[in-house]
Amino acid sequence: VDMKIEEIIELTPKELLARKKELSAEIFNLRIQKQSGQLERPHLIRVARRNIARIETVLSRKAGAEIAK
């Protein structure tokens, strides 16, 4: 499921790291399904990768904000 950037910004860094871990596991499972020919919606891999990228961006921005204080 595609996450909106507004939803991601509201999460705490711990929640973001947990969500990133969940998405990594989801990508792993989707890749296994793809290899075995069972993946019905291949676009979900790209969606999950983009969500991870959004999470990493927000994490780095929050880390930068902490350092600037």
Side-chain angles (χ1 to χ4, degrees), residues 1 38 41 66:
V1 180
Q38 296 176 347
R41 300 184 338 184
E66 287 296 318

Side-chain angles (χ1 to χ4, degrees), residues 2-68:
D2 201 14
M3 297 177 71
K4 301 288 184 207
I5 192 71
E6 293 83 14
E7 297 170 5
I8 296 171
I9 291 173
E10 292 173 3
L11 299 176
T12 66
K14 279 188 177 182
E15 291 171 330
L16 288 171
L17 290 173
R19 186 69 182 127
K20 181 180 170 186
K21 196 171 191 177
E22 291 171 13
L23 287 168
S24 295
E26 182 180 331
I27 288 175
F28 178 76
N29 290 330
L30 289 171
R31 284 185 177 153
I32 289 175
Q33 289 178 20
K34 183 178 180 183
Q35 288 298 317
S36 63
Q38 296 176 347
L39 187 58
E40 294 179 9
R41 300 184 338 184
H43 72 281
L44 293 179
I45 295 173
R46 181 175 51 223
V47 169
R49 279 200 339 252
R50 287 182 179 174
N51 284 333
I52 287 177
R54 287 183 185 112
I55 288 171
E56 289 176 348
T57 300
V58 170
L59 278 172
S60 65
R61 285 184 186 168
K62 287 186 178 193
E66 287 296 318
I67 292 170

